[in-house]
Amino acid sequence: MESNVAKSGRVEDGSCSKFNTHPALDFKRIPLVFALVFLSGSSSSTLNRPLSFWRFNKALPSVSESSSTMTVTPNISINDGNLVVHGKTILTGVPENIVLTPGSGVGLVAGTFIGATASHSKSLHVFPVGALEGHRFMCLFRFKLWWMTQRMGSCGKEVPLETQFMLVETKADGEGGDDIYTVFLPLLEGQFRSALQGNERNELEICLESGDSDVQTNQGLCLVYVHAGTNPFEVITQAVKAVEKHMQTFVHREKKKLPSFLDWFGWCTWDAFYTDVTAEGVEEGLKSLNEGGTPPRFLIVDDGWQQIESKPKDSNVVVQEGAQFASRLTGIKENEKFQKNGHSEQVSGLKHVVDQAKQHHNVKFVYVWHALAGYWGGVKPAASGMEHYDTFLAYPVSSPGVMGNQPDIVMDSLSVHGLGLVHPKKVFNFYNELHAYLASCGVDGVKVDVQNIIETLGSGHGGRVSLTRSYHQALEASVARNFPDNGCISCMCHNTDGLYSSKQTAVVRASDDFYPRDPASHTIHISSVAYNTLFLGEFMQPDWDMFHSLHPAADYHGAARSIGGCAIYVSDKPGNHNFDLLRKLVLPDGSVLRAKLPGRPTRDSLFADPARDGTSLLKIWNVNKCSGVVGVFNCQGAGWCKVEKKTRIHDTSPGTLTGSVRAIDVDVLAQIAGDDWSGETVVYAHKSGEVFRLPKDVSVPVTLKVLEYELFHFCPLKEVMPNISFAPIGLLDMFNSSGAVEEVVIHLASDKKSELFDEVPSEFTTSLAENRSSTATIAIKTRGCGRFGAYSSQRPLKCTIDKAETEFEYDSATGLLTVTIPIQTEEMYKWLVEIHV
């Protein structure tokens, strides 16, 4: 039985000889690498630096860095008809028309490109690559035109249509060996775009298409990039960086400027008002959150502010949450709802709204929404004042892969009514005039939505890749000209046409929407963002979307966002807030404790299915400046159904599940801790409030019901002096508690030696400890206010905050030291907390 996609496009002929390639190490470079390793490990011992031997203010590792063994050169080849990686067979029965081309790689690491040839030129080909059987995989596929989600499996027929990323696990032989992780990245080549899919014969297939029947080819040499190694996070990053070097059409996230709004709490108008948003509604929403002590510092005015066609309500027009998808833009300025402010006509209504937000509510950043095509239905052809954009009606056509997954109501509407497409050569003028007007009103950036519609309009424009790239280049050029903080959020944009064309945009919505009224959406929202981030996080900083603070799943959503490394913003209706929850996320100055990397599943979660298998908890890891954090979530019970082709609840009573966490779940924790770390941590469980010491390689059990969570902060334990150990925790009442700690330095008293007491204090040893003299001072720079916690194996002698002595509490049973930090008067203020032991 053949694939659902383009059965007629299958290539059966063997028109090209197979190339067997054997990339090898460049041995001339190895001595240099060994020398670098030797030098990096030869730093002075702590004994020679008695006054300051523990510094936690080192640079954070990139996504690619890891505490694990260095990833080695993949050695990917075709041997006897099999695709072999590190001596392990991944695919069998590789056809003769499949060819390999070695990649240049990054540093010593090189991967391989898979190509294919056909006997005839066409605009769409489906190339079988070989059978995948017996290896666990995790892939990301577009379940509908706009968004990806995850799928796990172990054979080729389980690979969905429109798969854009796949990670395959090959287990080690026997004990002591390393598992191998192989990533497959379908690419863009010229005017063509590749995706992966499976068929009933368990074959992995490459679907190659241009989206324009006049754009044809009979071959592609670099259709899929394959990369392998022993650390999955390193492998993914190395693969994307190698493709970046090869394609030179996009830029890795690490090189992009992150917009400043990410570190501040925000409010979005969408779920509060949908398209009924007004200037008065914006004012009410900002005022309401400010009065509760969680001031929003960035604002997104979502869909509903623009001038669009005024059409009578038509029962035949598809409407979702107020949006008429066939409506078209008629002007670049705000509509009449934003002009009714009773102010001078010389000041635009939008400028008045922005000025009010910034001057009266201390909002720092205002973003507004628009679609990549202008509006859902594009721009109205020949609209007054917009004639120079040469807009024309175009009728979108989905690719076969998208059609084989979930139908979309936007496409249903636009395929009948058409979309007003700005001519590709005029689209920069359109964006620039729109953005220049917005900037003149004080707007700082844009949320650009409905992006993937452009891939459906490639016919007559050189195909989907060419049209998408022209639009993205124009968008980024306009953003660079008008919004100097790189103010752009990409949304409804999960296609590789756009991702591999992004040189500047640094924030991407990472999953389908938060749907407050859809009970099936909440668990799959969390798991989809986490898995999508494995891929999307290499291109941009993932955005977890808005949520409601007053909602049955609000804690669940808030906890996940706190460790996602993302912006944190809500879409509450004015007056409908849970301020107790918001205060776990937002400091009084409106800033947030944002984790430092994109939050991703832990290594042992990569190939489990925490949405469907009924047994697995989802674990998400991230780091702060001086610690690691692992969030554990029960996400079971709902997911995308390939039969019903929609997200649905498949288990109405998912069970209580038990799992475990360990310090090494935080993949780069050893780099955060430093070379002298023993592997022991102090663990703070946010929800339970428990604090305990955890020896190296020991796990902690966790039991959760569906929609429950726990956040574990792993704080590296350091020996200050013999029998005095210490670890900072952070703000105990915040979700991302350890995100408050900015720096830790220990100063030893030069003429003192520690007095030895038992690590587990008794009344007698506690009394002795109180009479001893100080042997060290632990200086901690921290943000925020409230209960600040740290672990100390002995009761401190005294604590100070900004040099003023303060009261503290000490629990000798757990070693938990607590001080209360006052509310800061300056934004982003860093307190100096000193603990004398």
Side-chain angles (χ1 to χ4, degrees):
M1 181 177 177
E2 295 200 339
S3 164
N4 291 331
V5 175
K7 297 184 180 71
S8 62
R10 178 181 302 282
V11 176
E12 301 288 2
D13 60 88
S15 56
C16 178
S17 298
K18 188 182 307 179
F19 291 178
N20 293 338
T21 62
H22 302 271
L25 283 169
D26 181 355
F27 288 98
K28 293 180 180 178
R29 296 187 181 182
I30 289 178
L32 173 60
V33 175
F34 286 165
L36 291 172
V37 172
F38 174 78
L39 289 171
S40 67
S42 63
S43 58
S44 301
S45 71
T46 57
L47 296 176
N48 294 327
R49 293 183 286 130
L51 295 182
S52 179
F53 70 81
W54 175 25
R55 297 193 68 89
F56 258 155
N57 59 339
K58 57 169 60 180
L60 281 168
S62 68
V63 177
S64 63
E65 293 176 322
S66 166
S67 57
S68 303
T69 306
M70 173 185 144
T71 305
V72 295
T73 303
N75 192 16
I76 302 168
S77 61
I78 296 175
N79 294 331
D80 298 325
N82 300 322
L83 181 68
V84 178
V85 178
H86 278 231
K88 310 284 186 181
T89 297
I90 304 294
L91 302 178
T92 60
V94 177
E96 289 293 325
N97 65 310
I98 298 299
V99 297
L100 299 187
T101 302
S104 59
V106 177
L108 289 177
V109 185
T112 297
F113 293 98
I114 297 178
T117 63
S119 56
H120 298 91
S121 291
K122 294 189 294 185
S123 62
L124 189 151
H125 293 276
V126 175
F127 298 107
V129 182
L132 173 65
E133 296 173 318
H135 298 298
R136 293 197 303 173
F137 71 81
M138 186 281 297
C139 69
L140 303 174
F141 72 103
R142 284 199 296 170
F143 65 99
K144 56 184 175 183
L145 176 63
W146 322 105
W147 304 112
M148 295 191 298
T149 192
Q150 75 275 11
R151 176 67 57 80
M152 289 73 175
S154 59
C155 60
K157 66 182 178 182
E158 295 174 314
V159 179
L161 306 172
E162 279 295 307
T163 290
Q164 301 186 126
F165 169 93
M166 187 165 73
L167 184 68
V168 179
E169 175 193 56
T170 310
K171 302 299 289 186
D173 294 329
E175 296 184 6
D178 290 321
D179 296 340
I180 299 299
Y181 301 91
T182 305
V183 64
F184 291 79
L185 299 179
L187 305 177
L188 312 179
E189 185 172 28
Q191 296 169 288
F192 285 78
R193 178 250 188 188
S194 299
L196 299 174
Q197 60 193 39
N199 66 29
E200 289 300 314
R201 295 194 293 270
N202 282 333
E203 290 174 316
L204 187 66
E205 298 177 330
I206 300 171
C207 179
L208 180 68
E209 59 184 319
S210 69
D212 186 336
S213 59
D214 292 330
V215 177
Q216 301 185 356
T217 190
N218 66 348
Q219 67 174 356
L221 294 179
C222 300
L223 305 183
V224 176
Y225 183 68
V226 184
H227 204 91
T230 56
N231 180 290
F233 307 109
E234 282 186 347
V235 166
I236 294 167
T237 298
Q238 291 167 352
V240 173
K241 288 184 174 179
V243 171
E244 174 193 18
K245 181 179 179 181
H246 166 76
M247 294 181 66
Q248 299 185 18
T249 58
F250 72 98
V251 172
H252 191 273
R253 174 188 56 81
E254 293 172 358
K255 300 176 183 177
K256 294 180 177 178
K257 173 181 172 55
L258 292 181
S260 303
F261 78 85
L262 289 172
D263 293 312
W264 300 90
F265 175 58
W267 178 63
C268 177
T269 62
W270 179 242
D271 283 316
F273 300 110
Y274 298 118
T275 54
D276 293 327
V277 61
T278 62
E280 294 79 10
V282 172
E283 170 75 16
E284 290 172 14
L286 295 174
K287 180 180 178 182
S288 183
L289 284 165
N290 268 286
E291 288 176 345
T294 56
R297 294 295 185 240
F298 81 88
L299 163 68
I300 300 176
V301 180
D302 214 293
D303 187 6
W305 69 273
Q306 291 171 292
Q307 296 177 21
I308 60 173
E309 294 172 299
S310 178
K311 292 183 176 180
K313 295 292 183 181
D314 183 351
S315 59
N316 295 320
V317 175
V318 179
V319 177
Q320 179 184 350
E321 295 171 332
Q324 292 200 33
F325 296 127
S327 295
R328 302 184 188 108
L329 194 69
T330 58
I332 63 173
K333 296 185 177 181
E334 68 275 20
N335 59 38
E336 62 180 9
K337 292 184 297 177
F338 283 78
Q339 295 168 353
K340 297 177 180 178
N341 283 298
H343 55 273
S344 168
E345 293 184 1
Q346 296 178 354
V347 179
S348 81
L350 182 60
K351 179 171 173 53
H352 181 76
V353 171
V354 174
D355 287 347
Q356 287 285 107
K358 292 186 175 182
Q359 295 169 14
H360 292 179
H361 300 291
N362 296 317
V363 170
K364 294 178 177 293
F365 310 99
V366 177
Y367 280 47
V368 301
W369 179 99
H370 72 78
L372 190 61
Y375 197 69
W376 292 94
V379 173
K380 184 178 181 180
S384 177
M386 303 178 80
E387 300 90 347
H388 56 296
Y389 300 141
D390 293 348
T391 303
F392 55 93
L393 277 186
Y395 293 85
V397 178
S398 285
S399 67
V402 170
M403 291 290 289
N405 287 332
Q406 181 172 324
D408 189 79
I409 57 176
V410 180
M411 284 294 297
D412 292 344
S413 178
L414 294 178
S415 62
V416 172
H417 298 280
L419 178 144
L421 185 68
V422 174
H423 194 284
K425 292 184 178 179
K426 300 296 180 69
V427 72
F428 171 76
N429 293 337
F430 168 62
Y431 290 143
N432 186 49
E433 290 170 24
L434 170 61
H435 294 164
Y437 174 71
L438 294 175
S440 74
C441 295
V443 171
D444 303 283
V446 284
K447 173 184 174 182
V448 184
D449 212 348
V450 205
Q451 294 198 12
N452 286 0
I453 195 65
I454 300 301
E455 76 172 54
T456 69
L457 301 166
S459 183
H461 300 283
R464 55 184 291 170
V465 173
S466 297
L467 186 62
T468 298
R469 187 160 289 159
S470 66
Y471 263 67
H472 276 272
Q473 288 174 345
L475 175 68
E476 293 193 333
S478 178
V479 167
R481 173 178 288 192
N482 295 288
F483 305 124
D485 195 38
N486 198 19
C488 186
I489 303 169
S490 283
C491 193
M492 297 177 74
C493 58
H494 289 186
N495 66 1
T496 48
D497 312 55
L499 290 173
Y500 288 125
S501 299
S502 169
K503 290 190 172 184
Q504 177 181 301
T505 307
V507 180
V508 58
R509 268 281 308 283
S511 80
D512 201 350
D513 291 9
F514 166 78
Y515 292 112
R517 292 178 295 279
D518 182 1
S521 69
H522 301 294
T523 52
I524 192 63
H525 180 96
I526 301 304
S527 62
S528 288
V529 173
Y531 286 97
N532 286 346
T533 293
L534 288 164
F535 182 46
L536 295 177
E538 302 296 333
F539 298 85
M540 305 180 203
Q541 194 76 18
D543 180 323
W544 288 57
D545 199 17
M546 65 199 89
F547 71 105
H548 278 171
S549 71
L550 193 61
H551 187 276
D555 260 33
Y556 191 75
H557 283 282
R561 284 157 178 77
S562 75
I563 62 166
C566 56
I568 295 174
Y569 57 110
V570 295
S571 193
D572 295 349
K573 289 181 179 293
N576 290 2
H577 314 290
N578 180 346
F579 287 111
D580 289 338
L581 168 65
L582 289 176
R583 279 188 282 271
K584 297 179 183 180
L585 291 163
V586 189
L587 298 175
D589 65 355
S591 64
V592 297
L593 302 177
R594 188 169 65 88
K596 299 306 174 186
L597 297 175
R600 289 157 289 166
T602 59
R603 189 183 298 211
D604 57 354
S605 290
L606 289 176
F607 303 98
D609 191 347
R612 299 173 184 81
D613 66 13
T615 61
S616 302
L617 295 170
L618 171 63
K619 299 192 296 182
I620 302 171
W621 70 274
N622 210 323
V623 295
N624 294 303
K625 287 188 176 178
C626 305
S627 62
V629 59
V630 176
V632 188
F633 302 85
N634 188 330
C635 300
Q636 295 288 344
W640 189 79
C641 176
K642 64 182 179 181
V643 177
E644 297 187 23
K645 298 187 182 302
K646 67 177 184 178
T647 298
R648 69 174 186 89
I649 294 174
H650 56 258
D651 184 351
T652 56
S653 301
T656 299
L657 300 179
T658 296
S660 64
V661 294
R662 324 176 271 179
I664 61 172
D665 286 337
V666 181
D667 195 69
V668 296
L669 186 59
Q671 294 179 49
I672 295 291
D675 295 338
D676 58 339
W677 180 47
S678 69
E680 188 173 7
T681 55
V682 168
V683 180
Y684 173 60
H686 168 82
K687 200 170 182 183
S688 71
E690 292 180 281
V691 176
F692 49 90
R693 285 177 66 158
L694 188 68
K696 182 179 181 180
D697 296 331
V698 174
S699 61
V700 181
V702 55
T703 300
L704 300 172
K705 297 177 182 177
V706 69
L707 283 172
E708 288 187 342
Y709 71 92
E710 182 60 280
L711 302 176
F712 293 93
H713 294 268
F714 290 93
C715 308
L717 186 69
K718 293 286 185 166
E719 185 180 84
V720 179
M721 293 290 287
N723 283 19
I724 301 180
S725 299
F726 186 88
I729 296 173
L731 293 176
L732 301 178
D733 297 319
M734 302 293 285
F735 279 129
N736 189 20
S737 306
S738 59
V741 179
E742 295 278 335
E743 180 184 77
V744 182
V745 180
I746 295 182
H747 301 280
L748 298 182
S750 58
D751 58 346
K752 300 288 185 181
K753 295 183 179 179
S754 67
E755 300 176 38
L756 302 182
F757 303 102
D758 293 338
E759 282 271 13
V760 180
S762 63
E763 287 187 24
F764 175 69
T765 58
T766 299
S767 176
L768 288 175
E770 289 174 349
N771 294 319
R772 73 186 190 276
S773 57
S774 175
T775 58
T777 300
I778 300 125
I780 303 167
K781 288 185 179 178
T782 185
R783 287 179 51 221
C785 58
R787 293 193 308 140
F788 181 90
Y791 170 86
S792 179
S793 62
Q794 291 192 15
R795 180 183 180 88
L797 296 174
K798 70 173 182 177
C799 296
T800 63
I801 299 176
D802 280 2
K803 300 298 183 180
E805 189 166 350
T806 186
E807 295 182 354
F808 66 90
E809 295 180 4
Y810 181 73
D811 182 347
S812 60
T814 63
L816 178 63
L817 161 70
T818 309
V819 298
T820 300
I821 298 178
I823 294 177
Q824 65 272 36
T825 56
E826 298 177 27
E827 289 183 348
M828 293 284 189
Y829 184 75
K830 296 178 184 179
W831 298 95
L832 176 62
V833 177
E834 292 180 296
I835 298 162
H836 300 263
V837 295

